[in-house]
Amino acid sequence: GQSLEQPSEVTAVEGAIVQINCTYQTSGFYGLSWYQQHDGGAPTFLSYNALDGLEETGRFSSFLSRSDSYGYLLLQELQMKDSASYFCAVKPGSNYQLIWGAGTKLIIKP
Amino acid sequence: KAGVTQTPRYLIKTRGQQVTLSCSPISGHRSVSWYQQTPGQGLQFLFEYFSETQRNKGNFPGRFSGRQFSNSRSEMNVSTLELGDSALYLCASSFDRTGGNSPLHFGNGTRLTVT
């Protein structure tokens, strides 16, 4: 089967840095996406990695290693508003839908 | 540009009834996908429509169906509702086929409660 694994919950302190990991087992690989969802809200797109390496967008960065079937989302200078669930998703092929992880709930403490 | 609009926002139905949910994608987006989300769960893929054709279907029973119209608006229907169908139903649109560098834009969802 196809699956993505990410931690169910991560706790960090305001102002710190946190990394949310995602490992995948899929039949193919087109790219790894990350989405953020606040409680009661809609998921919003954060980043996309198709090639190995680090992509930076402001305080958020996303990393991919295709050889390790692994990626992570890095959040820097954490703010209370970053408290949310973060989902990784992989598209195994052009005619496949996204395969989603179960999500990581990020809890930020002052 | 208006975002993805889902109606209604909330719905309460009883077991055995059927329900139709509506989704208007972002103007110009041709792909619409539907997801079911239950508390503490990830997004469970229902189906994807592109240019009025169902391109992919998730592992849901035949009670779940959908369609897409020529203006890209989409509806999903659930017949013979069961208690386990209570969930947040999310619609997402994208310019091209889902995933990859054509990100999904989600609506705020329809929260369905089955009693």
Side-chain angles (χ1 to χ4, degrees):
Chain A
Q2 310 203 78
S3 64
L4 277 71
E5 286 194 17
Q6 51 181 131
S8 59
E9 189 175 290
V10 171
T11 301
V13 177
E14 190 176 16
I17 299 173
V18 73
Q19 178 174 311
I20 299 174
N21 299 321
C22 175
T23 57
Y24 58 89
Q25 285 187 317
T26 55
S27 57
F29 182 83
Y30 260 42
L32 176 67
S33 302
W34 288 93
Y35 287 78
Q36 177 193 60
Q37 185 180 29
H38 288 98
D39 283 347
T44 56
F45 174 77
L46 289 177
S47 68
Y48 171 72
N49 294 70
L51 302 175
D52 291 350
L54 191 68
E55 295 280 344
E56 297 180 65
T57 309
R59 294 187 298 113
F60 292 6
S61 303
S62 57
F63 172 82
L64 173 66
S65 169
R66 287 174 296 172
S67 61
D68 295 322
S69 299
Y70 164 76
Y72 65 72
L73 180 69
L74 191 73
L75 295 81
Q76 302 182 71
E77 300 172 17
L78 285 171
Q79 302 175 10
M80 297 303 293
K81 67 178 181 179
D82 297 329
S83 295
S85 291
Y86 293 84
F87 295 90
C88 58
V90 165
K91 187 175 174 68
S94 61
N95 289 322
Y96 285 78
Q97 73 276 8
L98 285 174
I99 307 297
W100 293 79
T104 298
K105 185 176 180 66
L106 175 60
I107 298 170
I108 299 175
K109 297 184 175 181
Chain B
K1 195 182 244 188
V4 177
T5 303
Q6 290 188 247
T7 56
R9 285 297 310 276
Y10 302 93
L11 208 49
I12 300 175
K13 292 285 189 178
T14 57
R15 278 180 299 176
Q17 288 187 313
Q18 75 164 17
V19 66
T20 299
L21 312 181
S22 180
C23 173
S24 293
I26 290 174
S27 177
H29 283 192
R30 299 175 293 173
S31 174
V32 173
S33 299
W34 289 88
Y35 291 86
Q36 181 194 67
Q37 187 175 35
T38 49
Q41 298 297 309
L43 287 85
Q44 304 299 313
F45 173 75
L46 282 156
F47 20 69
E48 176 200 0
Y49 288 88
F50 184 82
S51 296
E52 301 179 65
T53 302
Q54 187 180 91
R55 302 293 177 151
N56 276 305
K57 190 178 193 305
N59 192 26
F60 277 82
R63 300 185 296 107
F64 291 81
S65 63
R67 59 178 175 168
Q68 186 181 33
F69 302 96
S70 58
N71 61 358
S72 292
R73 191 177 70 84
S74 178
E75 290 181 347
M76 68 163 280
N77 184 277
V78 188
S79 62
T80 320
L81 284 166
E82 300 177 359
L83 294 179
D85 297 333
S86 295
L88 179 67
Y89 290 88
L90 292 162
C91 166
S93 75
S94 61
F95 177 75
D96 212 327
R97 295 293 306 279
T98 60
N101 56 3
S102 184
L104 297 177
H105 298 261
F106 284 86
N108 286 321
T110 294
R111 185 163 297 281
L112 172 66
T113 302
V114 182
T115 62

